[in-house]
């Protein structure tokens, strides 16, 4: 019975029915697949254009890298990484180049960029930090100094050059070298290989720089510097000059002719400058055009109250550029003279300046009388004020602040005053009866050609050997720049120089630093050019004359030490 029931359960099916069931299953599967595809397309449309770009990029990379397993483009971490990989290099290259162009920096090489990226990211802040670092490096690497040599109007007594390499000359002059150097100096010729047939050796050019014109010249007397404590003289011979009136008159007559000749050369602009060295003061006369000043002018230092009173009596107008300006009228030290800071352009004569003072004193006296003050008390007050004024006048005597400046017609008046000034010739001491010393870079009547003493040697400083060149004598302002030009033309790469100055003449350069700042404002450029051209026959070459005629106060400095290195000059 059981077998019969099992057979009844198993019904026979026709082939058509089996195929119908199979086709139904296939339709179900197709419908399910269609539903799945619709959902995938919706998700893809939500991702947007950014995911499509990433898919395309990944497909390209997968085609290039054959054999690598394809990565899922929809993974979040991978999408972030891919975004950085796609956009970062393009932004870095374009923005960095633009950044370096804006900052005017050179674009670093690849290895430098890699090192920089390892240290810190290349952002704007880091780029500005790099810019500051580069500036500091450049400032430390760029040598400091100037290409020009400043003018120092201070008279010097000694000068010493030192160099680690030998100088291109020696102190043993040949006949032709001495003759060519002397000829070049006397005739004011620029000895060079281009425009001269004279001996152009370094020895000849050195000898040309070491000559000077002087008057008077007495072999038994040292007439520079004019300091009684430093002059070695034969007192017997000096007594002869003092007691012999004929000798004194002859010396004075010759000196007057020489002084007059030299001043005429200055007015004609055939002499750029010259010095008058007396025992108690020194005068510097400069031609029109020097330092950009349009008129011939003179500087005198130091002065005393009595000397300034003598100038006032001769109606010589002057200014005191180094004297501090007084706020009160009663504090004016010298009636009739003004500082450059107060009234440079509106100077008035001395007689006119006295009247307001007298009127002011009368007004004060009348005011005191109106208050009931007795006349005896008014006289005491006036005497105390006069004493205070006198003390202030004496304070600057023989000081740097006592320097006076005259120009134009007053420079001519000062010349006439000095040529007849009895106080210019001392009556006691080793130089009694001897007129002041005249020093000039060009020849004049009665001048004597004097050589500067030159000594060459070797010295050791900190166990290092240096070559030394020492000069002794009256060293005028053109000597230092002339020697520096000579060393530069001789291709001497490094050297230094130290100077011993005549202390009483340092105010000549100090006045320039303060005075020309106001004076040069009134000097137009064409006037400076005309001054330079008018002095073209004064004996200086164009390069040296350019510095002497410049109105720029930076071209005038007090130089004690100067150093040449890397084609630049530094000084102190």
């Amino acid at each position: 019975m059981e077998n019969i029931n099992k057979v009844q359960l198993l019904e026979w099916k026709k082939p058509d029915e089996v195929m119908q069931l199979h086709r139904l299953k296939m339709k179900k599967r197709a419908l399910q697949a269609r539903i799945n595809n619709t959902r995938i397309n919706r998700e893809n449309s939500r991702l947007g254009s950014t995911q499509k770009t990433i898919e395309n990029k990944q497909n390209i990379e997968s085609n290039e890298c054959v054999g690598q397993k394809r990565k899922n483009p929809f993974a979040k971490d991978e999408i972030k990484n891919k975004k950085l990989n796609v956009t970062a290099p393009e932004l870095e290259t374009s923005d960095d180049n633009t950044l370096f162009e804006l900052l005017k920096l050179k674009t670093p090489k690849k290895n430098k960029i890699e090192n920089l990226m390892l240290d810190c990211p290349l952002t704007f802040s880091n780029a500005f930090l790099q810019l500051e670092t580069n500036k500091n490096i450049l400032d430390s690497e760029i040598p400091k100094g100037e290409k020009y040599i400043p003018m120092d109007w201070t008279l010097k007594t000694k000068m010493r050059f030192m160099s680690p390499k030998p100088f291109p000359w020696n102190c043993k002059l040949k006949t032709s070298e001495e003759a060519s150097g002397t000829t070049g100096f006397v005739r004011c010729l620029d000895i060079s290989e281009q425009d001269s047939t004279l001996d152009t050796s370094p020895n000849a050019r050195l000898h040309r720089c070491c000559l000077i014109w002087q008057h008077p010249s007495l072999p038994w007397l040292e007439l520079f510097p004019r300091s009684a404590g430093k002059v070695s003289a034969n007192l017997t011979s000096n007594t002869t000059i003092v007691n012999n009136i004929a000798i004194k008159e002859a010396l004075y007559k010759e000196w007057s002719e020489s002084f007059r000749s030299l001043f005429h050369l200055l007015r004609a602009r055939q002499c750029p400058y010259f010095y008058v060295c007396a025992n108690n003061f020194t005068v510097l006369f400069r031609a029109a055009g020097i330092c950009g000043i349009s008129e011939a002018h003179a500087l005198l230092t130091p002065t005393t109250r009595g000397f300034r009173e003598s100038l006032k009596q001769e109606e010589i107008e002057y200014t005191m550029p180094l004297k501090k300006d007084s706020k009160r009228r009663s504090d004016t030290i010298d009636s009739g003279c003004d500082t450059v800071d107060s009234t440079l352009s509106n100077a008035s004569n001395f007689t006119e300046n006295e009247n307001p003072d007298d009127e002011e004193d009368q007004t004060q006296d009348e005011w005191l009388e109106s208050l009931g003050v007795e006349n005896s008390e008014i006289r005491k007050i006036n005497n105390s004020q006069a004493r205070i004024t006198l003390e202030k006048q004496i304070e600057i005597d023989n000081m740097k602040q006592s320097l006076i400046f005259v120009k134009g017609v007053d420079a001519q008046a000062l010349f006439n005053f000095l040529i007849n000034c009895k106080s210019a010739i001392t009556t006691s001491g080793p130089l009694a009866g001897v007129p002041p010393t005249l020093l000039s870079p060009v020849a004049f009547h009665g001048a004597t050609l004097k050589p500067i003493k030159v000594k060459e040697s070797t010295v050791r400083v900190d166990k290092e050997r240096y070559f030394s060149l020492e000069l002794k004598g009256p060293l005028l302002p053109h000597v230092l720049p002339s020697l520096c030009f000579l060393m530069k033309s001789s291709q001497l790469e490094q050297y230094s120089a130290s100077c011993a100055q005549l202390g009483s003449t340092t105010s000549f350069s100090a006045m320039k630093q303060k005075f020309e700042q106001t004076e040069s404002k009134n000097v137009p450029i064409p006037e400076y050019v005309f001054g330079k051209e008018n002095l073209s026959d004064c004996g200086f070459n164009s390069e040296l004359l350019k510095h002497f005629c410049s109105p720029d106060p930076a071209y005038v400095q007090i130089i004690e030490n100067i150093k040449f290195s890397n084609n630049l000059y530094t000084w102190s």
Side-chain angles (χ1 to χ4, degrees):
M1 288 295 293
E2 292 179 0
N3 293 333
I4 294 171
N5 293 333
K6 289 182 181 180
V7 172
Q8 290 178 354
L9 292 173
L10 292 174
E11 295 181 354
W12 294 98
K13 294 182 179 181
K14 296 180 179 180
D16 295 337
E17 294 177 356
V18 174
M19 294 301 297
Q20 186 178 0
L21 293 174
H22 178 69
R23 284 193 295 268
L24 182 60
K25 290 180 181 180
M26 292 296 293
K27 288 180 180 180
K28 289 181 180 181
R29 292 177 183 177
L31 180 60
Q32 185 67 33
R34 189 181 300 172
I35 294 172
N36 293 336
N37 290 335
T38 303
R39 183 173 56 82
I40 292 173
N41 291 334
R42 289 177 181 176
E43 291 178 356
N44 290 337
S45 61
R46 292 175 183 175
L47 291 176
S49 59
T50 305
Q51 293 180 352
K52 292 181 180 179
T53 304
I54 296 174
E55 289 176 1
N56 295 332
K57 183 68 177 180
Q58 189 170 359
N59 292 331
I60 294 172
E61 292 179 355
S62 62
N63 293 331
E64 292 178 353
C65 303
V66 180
Q68 295 182 358
K69 184 178 179 181
R70 181 179 178 184
K71 296 181 180 180
N72 186 3
F74 303 106
K76 293 183 179 180
D77 295 337
E78 292 180 0
I79 290 174
K80 291 181 181 180
N81 294 334
K82 289 300 178 181
K83 286 182 180 180
L84 293 175
N85 292 335
V86 173
T87 58
E90 296 178 358
L91 292 175
E92 286 179 1
T93 54
S94 61
D95 292 347
D96 294 344
N97 293 334
T98 306
L99 174 61
F100 282 105
E101 290 178 1
L102 292 175
L103 298 179
K104 296 181 180 180
L105 294 174
K106 295 182 179 180
T107 305
K109 297 181 180 179
K110 292 183 179 179
N111 55 354
K112 292 185 178 180
I113 293 177
E114 292 176 357
N115 295 333
L116 183 62
M117 292 300 294
L118 290 175
D119 297 335
C120 59
L122 186 58
T123 60
F124 275 95
S125 60
N126 293 332
F128 279 109
L129 180 61
Q130 183 186 6
L131 178 62
E132 293 295 332
T133 305
N134 292 340
K135 284 184 178 180
N136 296 332
I137 294 173
L138 290 175
D139 292 340
S140 61
E141 292 179 354
I142 294 177
K144 297 181 180 180
E146 301 291 344
K147 293 184 178 180
Y148 64 88
I149 305 171
M151 294 292 103
D152 187 2
W153 294 101
T154 305
L155 281 173
K156 298 176 177 59
T157 57
K158 291 182 181 179
M159 192 178 299
R160 188 175 189 178
F161 288 86
M162 295 184 65
S163 172
K165 295 183 179 180
F167 294 105
W169 54 74
N170 54 61
C171 296
K172 297 179 180 180
L173 296 176
K174 298 179 181 179
T175 304
S176 61
E177 295 172 344
E178 183 178 356
S180 297
T182 303
T183 301
F185 179 75
V186 172
R187 298 181 183 177
C188 297
L189 301 176
D190 185 11
I191 299 179
S192 62
E193 298 179 359
Q194 291 80 12
D195 54 6
S196 177
T197 58
L198 299 174
D199 192 333
T200 59
S201 63
N203 279 4
R205 288 183 285 172
L206 174 66
H207 184 63
R208 185 193 183 282
C209 298
C210 298
L211 295 172
I212 192 174
W213 295 102
Q214 176 181 322
H215 180 87
S217 178
L218 304 177
W220 64 92
L221 291 176
E222 185 178 351
L223 299 180
F224 180 84
R226 295 292 295 254
S227 177
K230 297 182 180 179
V231 175
S232 59
N234 189 337
L235 297 180
T236 304
S237 301
N238 189 54
T239 304
T240 304
I241 295 176
V242 174
N243 297 332
N244 194 323
I245 299 178
I247 295 177
K248 290 175 61 177
E249 291 181 352
L251 287 174
Y252 174 75
K253 182 179 179 180
E254 289 294 326
W255 179 82
S256 299
E257 292 296 328
S258 298
F259 191 15
R260 184 175 291 105
S261 170
L262 196 51
F263 186 75
H264 289 169
L265 287 171
L266 185 87
R267 291 184 60 189
R269 302 186 183 185
Q270 303 297 317
C271 175
Y273 66 88
F274 68 89
Y275 287 83
V276 181
C277 302
N279 281 27
N280 300 324
F281 59 85
T282 305
V283 189
L284 169 61
F285 283 90
R286 299 193 299 205
I290 299 295
C291 294
I293 302 176
S294 59
E295 298 177 287
H297 51 282
L299 298 88
L300 191 149
T301 184
T303 61
T304 60
R305 175 177 173 271
F307 187 87
R308 295 190 294 272
E309 288 292 332
S310 301
L311 295 179
K312 184 180 75 171
Q313 293 175 1
E314 296 294 330
E315 297 185 354
I316 300 176
E317 299 179 8
Y318 62 88
T319 56
M320 303 181 71
L322 298 183
K323 188 187 73 172
K324 295 182 179 179
D325 189 17
S326 299
K327 296 182 180 179
R328 294 173 54 189
R329 178 69 182 178
S330 60
D331 292 338
T332 303
I333 296 176
D334 291 277
S335 63
C337 74
D338 300 311
T339 62
V340 174
D341 296 334
S342 59
T343 55
L344 177 64
S345 60
N346 298 325
S348 58
N349 58 42
F350 294 97
T351 56
E352 292 178 354
N353 288 334
E354 290 178 353
N355 294 333
D357 294 338
D358 296 339
E359 293 178 358
E360 185 178 356
D361 293 339
Q362 292 177 0
T363 303
Q364 291 178 356
D365 294 345
E366 294 176 356
W367 178 70
L368 291 175
E369 290 179 357
S370 64
L371 295 177
V373 181
E374 298 181 357
N375 292 332
S376 59
E377 294 296 331
I378 294 176
R379 284 195 296 271
K380 290 181 181 179
I381 294 173
N382 292 335
N383 292 334
S384 62
Q385 289 181 349
R387 185 170 58 255
I388 293 173
T389 303
L390 180 62
E391 291 176 355
K392 290 183 178 180
Q393 293 175 6
I394 297 174
E395 282 180 359
I396 64 170
D397 285 355
N398 297 317
M399 302 291 290
K400 292 182 180 181
Q401 293 79 5
S402 65
L403 177 138
I404 63 174
F405 173 81
V406 297
K407 66 177 181 177
V409 179
D410 296 298
Q412 175 73 49
L414 180 63
F415 163 75
N416 295 331
F417 173 81
L418 292 176
I419 206 169
N420 299 311
C421 182
K422 295 181 179 179
S423 61
I425 302 176
T426 182
T427 58
S428 61
L431 297 178
V434 181
T437 305
L438 304 177
L439 301 174
S440 170
V442 299
F444 57 95
H445 290 174
T448 304
L449 184 63
K450 303 281 291 185
I452 298 173
K453 297 179 182 179
V454 181
K455 180 182 178 181
E456 192 173 10
S457 61
T458 57
V459 296
R460 289 192 175 275
V461 179
D462 296 333
K463 298 181 180 180
E464 294 184 4
R465 184 184 181 187
Y466 289 90
F467 296 86
S468 172
L469 180 71
E470 184 176 350
L471 294 86
K472 183 179 180 180
L475 301 175
L476 299 184
H478 72 278
V479 175
L480 177 61
S482 299
L483 290 175
C484 290
F485 292 155
L486 174 58
M487 294 184 182
K488 186 176 181 180
S489 63
S490 302
Q491 298 181 354
L492 195 62
E493 298 178 354
Q494 184 179 358
Y495 63 86
S496 61
S498 57
C499 308
Q501 301 172 343
L502 189 61
S504 60
T505 61
T506 55
S507 54
F508 291 149
S509 294
M511 190 282 304
K512 171 70 177 184
Q513 294 174 6
K514 182 178 180 180
F515 175 73
E516 284 301 324
Q517 291 178 358
T518 56
E519 180 72 7
S520 61
K521 293 180 181 179
N522 300 325
V523 179
I525 295 178
E527 186 172 319
Y528 156 67
V529 176
F530 289 141
K532 178 182 174 183
E533 292 299 325
N534 292 332
L535 287 167
S536 58
D537 295 329
C538 70
F540 291 161
N541 57 36
S542 58
E543 186 177 4
L544 186 60
L545 190 60
K546 179 178 66 176
H547 298 304
F548 274 94
C549 294
S550 174
D552 188 356
Y555 278 82
V556 176
Q557 301 288 338
I558 299 176
I559 300 177
E560 295 182 357
N561 298 282
I562 189 169
K563 183 178 180 180
F564 177 76
S565 180
N566 298 320
N567 291 325
L568 296 175
Y569 297 95
T570 56
W571 57 83
S572 60

